[in-house]
Amino acid sequence: MIEPFLLRALAAAIGLALLAAPLGSLVVWSRMAYFGETMAQASLLGVALSLALGQSLTLSVLAVAIIAALLILLLGEQRLLPLDSVLGLMHHGSLAAGVIATAALAGPSVDLLGYLFGDIFAVTEADLYWIYGGGAVVLGVLWLVWQPLLRLAVHHELAVAEGVPARRVKAVFMVLLATTIAIAIKILGILLVIAFLIVPAAAARPFATTPERMVAIAAGIAVAGVLVGLEISARSDAPGGPAIVLVLAILALVSLLAASTGLRRRS
Amino acid sequence: MPETTADRQGGGRGPAGEATCAVDACGCSHAHHHHGEVMSRPRASLPLDSAALLSARGVGLARSGRTILEGVDIDLHDGEIVTLIGPNGAGKTSLVRVLLGLERADTGEINRRRDLVVGYAPQRFDIDAALPMTVERFLRLGIAANRADVAAALAEVGASRVIDSQLASLSGGEAQRMVLARALLRRPNLLVLDEPVRGVDYAGEAELYTLIGRLRGERGFGVLLVSHDLHVVMGASDRVVCLNRHVCCSGVPRVVAKDPEYERLFGSDAARAFAVYEHHHDHAHDLAGETVATVPAGSQPAASETHDRIEQ
């Protein structure tokens, strides 16, 4: 008989895997990995906010992630610095601010590691409602904007010239991404959440011929990573989130290496 | 001739030797204006053409303090092929971006007819290999078309064999044709092609323009072509708009070139004026496409350098 806490961890991770596959694929296609990383790391300020106000962690992180996304968009309009420099600045700045704010509010005994890497074995029933309820809403909205998002990912200018309302569609996507980060942060931590999104998508790419197939393969790979990672974690006492992400990263590396040697043989 | 010369010297539009378009002689142009006195511009009073698919007046655009476009008027009509020519850096692509709404102009107004449907083929179509997608899927994305429609559109542009290819595996020429097929599948009433012959060989180029001319005849859409190659322009367009930040001239080159009354109508200035434009190449074409002597030797020290730039 599996222990209830392990069962909850499994249910949470599988739910997140299914949510991560389409969002992660879109992040990869739109070259937004660093953007998402910055949003996630800014979320530590959301943790501090929830400590300060005594509000729900998920809602605080959601609010801060959306504000961070808006700030990035605003700073992206200036032309003096490239976007990756702006993101680097925000990413480290907000992480530093978050660590200081969290420590100041919760005292030196705060479990910073728990926020950075999550605690998959501390999943509560309420977390599961967030993952499956919130996740279903995110996937439903994503389904509505899937086609315009694909058109923007193929060729941004062409899509805009053809009348795709790029700003609105991207804003919706950013809110969906922020929501996903907020839902996943307690379980995977601010440092691992984006990896959990993009690594399965990266691993799936060599085997995919359509966008939807890439999402399906990514979901399968993410679930496999969850199962193997949690098994390793249960047997060896390794922390759950990092174990899952490590397994996924190894799968992605093998997949990409196989693809590049396969290409070399063909050419 | 005196007007042209005066214009070139007194225009103050940049350093000597910079591409300067002095083709007022084609008769349909407005005066040059450089100071943005909107009210005093002779043609500023012309209202937007509401019958046109797309009509723009006084479009101005500046980036980082540099003027990119200035007082540009342009109208695009049903069934008309308009070619936008001008040297590199003349603002051709910027103007297209403004007309398509990809960029907001700083000044001026643009009217898009209510029923306007744009088929657009951008200058560059680089696909990120991270996104797996076949040509067929892309051509049906956001367009009500079945596989047979897609196959027909690809056949039209001579790219039938790529229908099941991945987007990322297309060559430059194939991608150009594929994106033209998408533009046609949208059943546009305005086709906008930015340097459509990039990555297409010379024979393919002629073929492409023949195709565009034929489809225009069949479907009656308006066409806006962007080119830096005057030679191509001569055979393909109904009207040429020469741009160098402002509209230097607009005219009907092919008709003009073949018309025996050409000299009487426009004098030798027009031919010479095109030669003035063309001397940015190391050779020039007259209006029949024959190579002619450029301006006197010594007056164009940077000819070989600009040749590389333009013929890239």
Side-chain angles (χ1 to χ4, degrees):
Chain A
M1 179 71 203
I2 308 176
E3 307 237 15
F5 82 93
L6 200 57
L7 211 56
R8 282 199 299 272
L10 205 58
I14 287 174
L16 286 179
L18 300 178
L19 184 56
L23 279 151
S25 296
L26 277 164
V27 166
V28 168
W29 297 331
S30 337
R31 300 164 174 263
M32 283 174 67
Y34 206 20
F35 185 102
E37 189 69 54
T38 307
M39 269 170 89
Q41 306 222 352
S43 302
L44 193 54
L45 283 170
V47 173
L49 189 70
S50 105
L51 287 174
L53 302 178
Q55 294 295 320
S56 140
L57 179 72
T58 309
L59 290 177
S60 306
V61 167
L62 178 60
V64 169
I66 288 174
I67 292 170
L70 288 176
L71 200 58
I72 296 167
L73 286 183
L74 205 67
L75 288 172
E77 306 262 305
Q78 59 82 33
R79 285 154 194 266
L80 289 176
L81 277 180
L83 190 60
D84 60 345
S85 301
V86 173
L87 289 174
L89 178 147
M90 280 192 60
H91 163 163
H92 298 292
S94 58
L95 186 60
V99 168
I100 291 171
T102 321
L105 287 163
S109 63
V110 65
D111 177 21
L112 207 52
L113 276 186
Y115 294 123
L116 294 181
F117 297 103
D119 189 353
I120 201 165
F121 297 115
V123 170
T124 64
E125 228 169 272
D127 295 334
L128 286 177
Y129 288 131
W130 265 111
I131 291 169
Y132 283 91
V137 172
V138 167
L139 290 180
V141 176
L142 190 59
W143 185 75
L144 293 177
V145 290
W146 183 249
Q147 187 227 69
L149 278 170
L150 280 184
R151 288 169 74 181
L152 287 168
V154 176
H155 197 289
H156 193 273
E157 298 229 310
L158 182 61
V160 174
E162 289 178 356
V164 172
R167 270 170 176 270
R168 234 180 304 160
V169 170
K170 275 158 73 182
V172 169
F173 179 63
M174 250 168 270
V175 171
L176 295 179
L177 191 58
T179 310
T180 306
I181 289 171
I183 291 173
I185 211 122
K186 239 174 112 175
I187 295 130
L188 291 160
I190 63 169
L191 293 182
L192 294 178
V193 56
I194 294 299
F196 192 71
L197 289 184
I198 62 173
V199 174
R205 173 59 188 101
F207 308 104
T209 50
T210 73
E212 290 76 15
R213 234 169 275 172
M214 180 157 153
V215 170
I217 296 170
I221 289 173
V223 169
V226 163
L227 294 176
V228 177
L230 283 181
E231 177 70 21
I232 290 173
S233 175
R235 282 169 187 260
S236 69
D237 254 7
I244 291 170
V245 169
L246 180 61
V247 170
L248 288 174
I250 291 169
L251 285 176
L253 269 180
V254 170
S255 152
L256 292 173
L257 277 175
S260 60
T261 52
L263 275 183
R264 216 170 305 141
R265 217 170 302 131
R266 246 173 285 156
S267 59
Chain B
M1 153 136 189
E3 180 201 343
T4 309
T5 313
D7 233 294
R8 293 195 63 213
Q9 290 171 345
R13 260 164 288 138
E18 188 180 328
T20 303
C21 184
V23 208
D24 275 30
C26 49
C28 31
S29 167
H30 58 76
H32 299 287
H33 6 268
H34 313 292
H35 308 296
E37 306 111 331
V38 176
M39 297 316 293
S40 69
R41 285 199 289 109
R43 300 252 313 223
S45 55
L46 262 192
L48 286 161
D49 184 348
S50 57
L53 288 161
L54 206 151
S55 178
R57 290 291 176 273
V59 169
L61 185 71
R63 285 288 173 268
S64 318
R66 211 169 59 88
T67 301
I68 293 169
L69 294 171
E70 189 174 34
V72 174
D73 299 349
I74 192 168
D75 295 312
L76 304 171
H77 295 98
D78 295 283
E80 185 187 36
I81 299 183
V82 175
T83 301
L84 196 57
I85 58 166
N88 283 352
K92 302 186 294 293
T93 293
S94 294
L95 178 57
V96 168
R97 289 173 54 83
V98 166
L99 294 177
L100 291 175
L102 293 170
E103 200 153 353
R104 193 184 297 262
D106 299 321
T107 58
E109 41 185 342
I110 295 169
N111 184 53
R112 298 180 182 85
R113 211 168 71 188
R114 272 173 186 282
D115 64 338
L116 179 67
V117 177
V118 171
Y120 174 46
Q123 195 179 80
R124 300 188 61 88
F125 197 79
D126 304 320
I127 305 291
D128 196 326
L131 178 59
M133 192 181 282
T134 64
V135 167
E136 182 191 355
R137 176 70 193 281
F138 174 59
L139 293 188
R140 296 174 66 176
L141 199 61
I143 296 175
N146 58 30
R147 185 174 166 92
D149 300 330
V150 168
L154 285 171
E156 199 120 64
V157 300
S160 293
R161 62 191 189 83
V162 302
I163 188 163
D164 292 317
S165 303
Q166 285 285 312
L167 289 182
S169 72
L170 300 181
S171 72
E174 286 168 343
Q176 286 286 7
R177 285 161 186 266
M178 186 270 301
V179 86
L180 177 60
R182 178 175 171 92
L184 294 172
L185 278 167
R186 284 173 50 79
R187 312 209 156 277
N189 49 20
L190 178 64
L191 196 60
V192 178
L193 311 174
D194 194 351
E195 306 262 9
V197 294
R198 272 192 182 212
V200 176
D201 60 28
Y202 199 78
E205 186 178 324
E207 200 184 313
L208 192 61
Y209 284 109
T210 307
L211 170 72
I212 291 166
R214 179 169 64 77
L215 290 176
R216 183 270 311 260
E218 287 170 15
R219 305 192 190 179
F221 48 55
V223 181
L224 176 62
L225 286 170
V226 177
S227 175
H228 60 226
D229 188 347
L230 193 57
H231 175 80
V232 164
V233 167
M234 302 311 290
S237 330
D238 301 320
R239 192 154 58 86
V240 172
V241 175
C242 174
L243 188 78
N244 190 19
R245 296 205 287 272
H246 56 276
V247 175
C248 300
C249 74
S250 61
V252 280
R254 184 171 44 174
V255 177
V256 167
K258 291 184 176 162
D259 194 331
E261 292 207 298
Y262 156 72
E263 282 256 323
R264 192 183 64 76
L265 281 170
F266 297 106
S268 53
D269 266 346
R272 207 189 42 73
F274 273 115
V276 169
Y277 174 74
E278 275 292 282
H279 73 198
H280 301 291
H281 306 246
D282 66 348
H283 60 278
H285 307 281
D286 67 13
L287 292 173
E290 300 292 331
T291 303
V292 295
T294 57
V295 290
S299 68
Q300 185 62 20
S304 60
E305 185 243 346
T306 54
H307 170 79
D308 291 342
R309 200 159 48 97
I310 290 178
E311 301 283 330
Q312 60 185 332

